[in-house]
Amino acid sequence: MEKNKQILVIEDNPSNLYLMQYLLGKHGYTAIEADTGLKGIDLALTSKPLAIILDIQLPEMDGYEVAKAIRAYSSLDDTPIIAVTSYAMIGDRENAIAAGASAYIEKPINPDTFIREIESHIQEYSERSKLCES
Amino acid sequence: MHSLQVAMPITRNFAQTHIKYMAERIVKSLVLIAVICCSVQFLAARMVHVGIAQNPPKCYMDDEGKPAGIFVEILNSIGNEEGWELQYQLGKWDENLLKLQSGEIDLVADVAYTTDRDKLFDFHSIPVLSSWSQVYSRKGLGIQSIIDLDGKRIVVLEGSIQQQALNTMVRGFGLQVTITAVQSFDDAFKAVAENKADVAVTNNFFGRMHANSYGLEDTAIVFEPSTLFFVAAKGRNVDLLDKIDLNLKQLKQTPDSDYYKAIRNWTSESTGMIIPLWVKVMLLIIGLGLLISTIAGFVLKRQVRLRTHELQLANADMENRIIERTKELASAMQAAQQADMLKSAFLATMSHELRTPLNSIIGFTGILLQELPGNLNDEQKKQLHLVQNSSRHLLSLINDVLDISKIEAGQLDLQYSIFDLKKSIEKVLLLVKTQAEKKGLEVNTCYQHDSLEIECDQRRLEQVILNLLSNAVKFTETGSITITTMEQNECYIISIQDTGIGIPLSELDRLFKPFHQIDSGLTRKYEGTGLGLSICYQLLNLLGGRIVVKSEPGKGSTFRAIVPKRGANGKKQTDSCD
């Protein structure tokens, strides 16, 4: 089976969306884009990506709600959610983790290290899942 | 048995009560009989005619024609006891004695005993009163002794005991006086008051009672003490006199008897008559004082009441104001809480809104410099590096402002973890190394141990170290920067020493205040918000540590960050870290 290289990016800001899409594309990943939470959940269910990069500050449905909704589907249990946010207030990290995110990256992202961070989180998550299964 | 024993005393008690009741009834019946007997006796009462002279307070007829005085009251008491019907007749002193002789009256009251009189009349043996004669003069005459009477006009009562005694005395002392006899003591005092005579001689009873009202004063001349009696005509009413004696004896033995009551009644009234003027004035003043104080008391009471009312009103007003104020405070509190929430919301929004565009700028600059979209020429690279530096600087400024805001809002999130302090320092050094090398500064490190394990918020501690190191590089033009670590009392001391411009002593106090940069003004030599040291100071506080600075202008500065080795729990120990 061909290795899953699809990563879902849920982000409402077009330039930031493009930035991440470009970086992912340059490193051999396929970015699926969603500019709202609802679209993101739909895409996650239909395309079953390798990982989901989730902005927290979203219109209508915020990132915490999206994370919770995604975690409600057991078919997406293996998919790590990496929260990316410019929020840096007390509890942001905890809230994101509590909502179902598996990692947290603060904006602005560092283009030199971003892909490495994403990859290490995916790795970490799959190892954790395996441990849980066994 | 038991119940009987209980019943017995009850029966006995009942019998006793019954006997007592019977006895009371008998006594009551006896009293009734006695009263009836007395009434019968009264009906068959003996009529006794008594002659009195107008000689108050001993005996007189009052304004309504009723007999009154000490003798009258005492005789009434005796007559009441003996069942006499007493008829008083007012007459002149010598008339009364004549009437007694003629048998028109049975007794004459208020007669002083003399041997001469004893020959003419019958006296009973127990005196009713003791009396003496006294000389009364117009005020201011200055009569002190009997000698002073020389050349004076004297009035006496016709046929009185005073008349005889005075005559004897005047003769004995060889005084030249004019003696006038009048028909009553009142006439005598009137004569003196009207300056027809200088002095009057009366008995002490009359004098005490009336001297003051005639404007006379008593003198020290007292003579002829006498005892006063009732008298009857020789041999005619011996039984009356015997009864009088019998009753007087009894009356005088009982302190609360009619006898003493009568004396008290009349003499106490007379003492009232001799109250000196100053006493009267005093009494008047006291009375006025009392009246004034009563009025004042009333007025005060009223004022107190008014004040109390005012106070109550004020109190109520105050309470209302407190309630209002409390409401205001509550709403102010709510407003403050809302403001606080607004501030938090503002910080979150600003953080997001400022970082989102920066995310693109920094991100794409990085991508371009990585030459992912394509190769760059040297000029393009140089300019993009400038964009990258500027955007990173802008990010650090935004971060500083947000950090200080978060610290002040109590919203800074500390993430404790265990890491190697040495590695952190090395990591931070890498970031400033380029800048230091450019300036030609020597950077030295000196660690006490190879591994410096610490439990702290790594990111925040690195932020502090970076800030201090950046400052050292920024403010040092030549020389070196030295980083040393020491371990002391469960704390690490990270010392950053430079050979830079230094800080004047006067600036050291304000150094850690927000927005402070020395030489601050529009034209600043060094860029920065002036927030760095303030953030360091507050972060170290939050981490349970502190910051210390030593500096000498022109020579350099040493900043020491003191951090507990074991997280927030080590906070207590930092006091001993120095």
Side-chain angles (χ1 to χ4, degrees):
Chain A
M1 190 181 152
E2 202 190 321
K3 211 178 177 188
N4 187 358
K5 282 281 192 180
Q6 283 190 325
I7 292 179
L8 172 63
V9 183
I10 309 173
E11 162 70 81
D12 66 319
N13 182 291
S15 27
N16 284 334
L17 183 60
Y18 179 66
L19 173 67
M20 286 186 275
Q21 185 207 357
Y22 188 88
L23 274 174
L24 289 166
K26 279 290 169 186
H27 288 86
Y29 296 95
T30 312
I32 318 165
E33 304 148 26
D35 60 355
T36 68
L38 279 174
K39 278 184 203 166
I41 295 163
D42 265 356
L43 280 172
L45 286 168
T46 51
S47 56
K48 295 207 174 165
L50 175 67
I52 301 165
I53 295 172
L54 176 64
D55 184 30
I56 293 296
Q57 178 85 339
L58 291 168
E60 292 158 32
M61 191 180 193
D62 72 24
Y64 302 129
E65 289 172 300
V66 175
K68 266 183 210 163
I70 290 168
R71 279 288 159 262
Y73 298 99
S74 53
S75 59
L76 293 174
D77 278 354
D78 295 339
T79 316
I81 302 170
I82 299 150
V84 179
T85 182
S86 48
Y87 269 32
M89 307 304 286
I90 281 184
D92 285 350
R93 196 184 298 256
E94 286 75 9
N95 287 341
I97 304 296
S102 41
Y104 180 99
I105 296 173
E106 207 172 287
K107 273 189 200 171
I109 60 164
N110 183 346
D112 300 343
T113 57
F114 182 71
I115 298 300
R116 275 207 304 269
E117 279 180 80
I118 297 290
E119 282 171 345
S120 79
H121 285 314
I122 293 168
Q123 182 74 21
E124 220 175 273
Y125 188 77
S126 72
E127 274 167 16
R128 227 189 300 160
S129 302
K130 272 176 201 163
L131 272 174
C132 289
E133 276 162 26
S134 62
Chain B
M1 277 302 284
H2 185 72
S3 62
L4 250 175
Q5 273 177 339
V6 177
M8 281 297 281
I10 293 173
T11 318
R12 201 179 296 146
N13 269 349
F14 175 74
Q16 277 174 354
T17 317
H18 190 69
I19 290 162
K20 214 170 165 184
Y21 173 71
M22 289 302 286
E24 269 174 23
R25 283 198 69 169
I26 291 162
V27 169
K28 277 180 188 168
S29 307
L30 284 174
V31 168
L32 195 67
I33 291 162
V35 167
I36 292 164
C37 289
C38 284
S39 312
V40 173
Q41 225 180 343
F42 184 73
L43 286 173
R46 173 159 178 197
M47 194 70 105
V48 178
H49 297 276
V50 186
I52 53 168
Q54 194 68 9
N55 195 3
K58 290 188 288 185
C59 52
Y60 66 103
M61 287 289 179
D62 67 14
D63 296 339
E64 293 167 19
K66 273 186 184 168
I70 301 169
F71 276 86
V72 173
E73 274 186 26
I74 291 169
L75 191 62
N76 281 346
S77 171
I78 295 168
N80 207 30
E81 194 65 33
E82 297 299 330
W84 300 338
E85 191 180 337
L86 297 166
Q87 288 280 335
Y88 291 94
Q89 294 182 13
L90 185 68
K92 295 271 161 50
W93 167 248
D94 31 6
E95 273 173 23
N96 284 341
L97 293 178
L98 284 172
K99 281 179 190 169
L100 192 65
Q101 296 284 30
S102 67
E104 204 180 316
I105 52 178
D106 304 310
L107 293 171
V108 171
D110 183 24
V111 180
Y113 178 87
T114 61
T115 41
D116 287 348
R117 282 174 183 166
D118 198 25
K119 284 171 195 159
L120 293 168
F121 310 104
D122 279 346
F123 284 79
H124 52 92
S125 50
I126 299 171
V128 180
L129 291 171
S130 295
S131 176
W132 57 87
S133 302
Q134 195 162 1
V135 175
Y136 294 86
S137 75
R138 262 198 321 282
K139 279 177 185 169
L141 233 56
I143 290 163
Q144 301 287 336
S145 71
I146 203 126
I147 311 297
D148 295 332
L149 290 177
D150 196 27
K152 294 286 188 291
R153 296 165 296 168
I154 304 169
V155 273
V156 291
L157 182 67
E158 182 70 56
S160 68
I161 194 169
Q162 290 88 14
Q163 196 177 22
Q164 289 175 15
L166 190 70
N167 282 330
T168 320
M169 215 162 58
V170 164
R171 253 179 278 129
F173 282 94
L175 301 172
Q176 293 294 315
V177 294
T178 318
I179 295 172
T180 316
V182 292
Q183 290 303 309
S184 71
F185 284 142
D186 276 312
D187 289 343
F189 272 9
K190 212 190 235 171
V192 176
E194 290 168 358
N195 203 14
K196 286 173 188 162
D198 300 311
V199 294
V201 185
T202 68
N203 67 62
N204 61 307
F205 285 102
F206 183 86
R208 276 171 73 180
M209 191 167 171
H210 294 103
N212 212 46
S213 61
Y214 283 98
L216 308 188
E217 61 184 8
D218 58 347
T219 67
I221 306 164
V222 169
F223 57 93
E224 201 62 24
S226 59
T227 44
L228 302 174
F229 297 88
F230 292 98
V231 290
K234 264 283 178 221
R236 246 184 261 167
N237 284 303
V238 181
D239 61 322
L240 289 179
L241 296 175
D242 286 347
K243 294 284 183 200
I244 289 170
D245 268 338
L246 208 71
N247 279 286
L248 274 176
K249 196 182 169 190
Q250 208 146 28
L251 286 168
K252 283 190 172 184
Q253 275 169 359
T254 323
D256 209 28
S257 66
D258 288 346
Y259 174 83
Y260 292 109
K261 272 183 203 163
I263 290 174
R264 225 177 293 131
N265 276 349
W266 296 97
T267 50
S268 62
E269 192 181 330
S270 66
T271 45
M273 302 305 285
I274 55 149
I275 294 168
L277 188 65
W278 67 268
V279 174
K280 282 188 182 171
V281 170
M282 281 299 289
L283 281 172
L284 190 73
I285 289 167
I286 290 166
L288 274 172
L290 277 172
L291 188 72
I292 289 165
S293 67
T294 308
I295 292 167
F298 181 75
V299 169
L300 271 176
K301 218 170 169 181
R302 200 178 130 79
Q303 278 181 338
V304 165
R305 223 169 35 225
L306 279 173
R307 275 292 155 82
T308 309
H309 187 63
E310 278 172 27
L311 273 177
Q312 279 171 342
L313 283 179
N315 211 9
D317 186 44
M318 189 64 98
E319 272 172 25
N320 282 337
R321 277 159 67 182
I322 286 170
I323 291 166
E324 274 173 36
R325 197 87 187 93
T326 310
K327 275 186 200 160
E328 281 171 27
L329 280 176
S331 63
M333 179 85 166
Q334 212 180 348
Q337 281 168 345
Q338 277 174 351
D340 206 46
M341 279 167 66
L342 264 173
K343 190 178 177 181
S344 300
F346 171 78
L347 286 175
T349 311
M350 285 306 283
S351 177
H352 178 77
E353 296 303 328
L354 294 173
R355 282 168 198 243
T356 302
L358 263 182
N359 191 46
S360 286
I361 296 165
I362 292 169
F364 285 118
T365 315
I367 288 168
L368 286 171
L369 282 170
Q370 279 177 46
E371 299 187 319
L372 289 175
N375 291 335
L376 299 169
N377 62 38
D378 286 351
E379 186 55 31
Q380 284 170 326
K381 275 188 188 173
K382 189 186 167 189
Q383 290 182 9
L384 277 172
H385 270 298
L386 288 173
V387 174
Q388 194 178 46
N389 283 341
S390 291
S391 56
R392 278 183 182 156
H393 183 64
L394 178 58
L395 178 66
S396 79
L397 294 182
I398 291 167
N399 284 344
D400 274 3
V401 171
L402 289 173
D403 277 348
I404 200 89
S405 302
K406 275 190 278 183
I407 290 168
E408 283 176 2
Q411 290 191 328
L412 195 86
D413 201 4
L414 291 177
Q415 303 287 328
Y416 278 91
S417 63
I418 295 170
F419 58 94
D420 186 358
L421 178 61
K422 189 180 163 185
K423 278 184 188 161
S424 280
I425 292 171
E426 294 293 330
K427 189 164 101 186
V428 174
L429 265 176
L430 274 176
L431 296 173
V432 295
K433 210 170 186 175
T434 337
Q435 193 67 22
E437 276 168 1
K438 266 188 204 165
K439 281 180 137 180
L441 299 174
E442 196 185 317
V443 180
N444 309 312
T445 52
C446 172
Y447 306 109
Q448 205 176 18
H449 303 287
D450 278 345
S451 168
L452 304 169
E453 198 186 78
I454 188 169
E455 189 187 358
C456 197
D457 184 317
Q458 187 172 4
R459 189 183 140 199
R460 295 303 179 182
L461 186 57
E462 283 171 5
Q463 188 182 345
V464 170
I465 297 165
L466 177 62
N467 214 305
L468 295 177
L469 271 175
S470 303
N471 278 348
V473 174
K474 189 156 68 172
F475 295 107
T476 307
E477 298 308 322
T478 54
S480 63
I481 293 160
T482 310
I483 304 150
T484 50
T485 59
M486 278 194 296
E487 222 183 303
Q488 194 176 60
N489 299 327
E490 293 300 303
C491 293
Y492 284 118
I493 302 169
I494 306 151
S495 172
I496 294 150
Q497 190 178 3
D498 67 49
T499 55
I501 56 167
I503 306 153
L505 199 68
S506 58
E507 299 288 341
L508 283 178
D509 281 351
R510 294 189 288 140
L511 198 61
F512 300 109
K513 298 251 165 24
F515 304 106
H516 177 84
Q517 199 184 67
I518 301 162
D519 293 330
S520 60
L522 288 173
T523 52
R524 286 190 316 208
K525 190 175 172 186
Y526 306 99
E527 60 182 12
T529 53
L531 284 172
L533 281 178
S534 177
I535 290 167
C536 288
Y537 176 84
Q538 300 208 43
L539 278 179
L540 280 170
N541 260 349
L542 286 173
L543 293 168
R546 58 207 169 95
I547 189 164
V548 179
V549 61
K550 265 189 214 167
S551 187
E552 204 177 323
K555 296 232 171 132
S557 309
T558 307
F559 284 85
R560 286 201 179 97
I562 302 157
V563 206
K565 280 165 83 175
R566 291 281 161 257
N569 298 333
K571 199 169 178 171
K572 293 172 225 107
Q573 284 131 22
T574 55
D575 288 343
S576 52
C577 301
D578 211 346

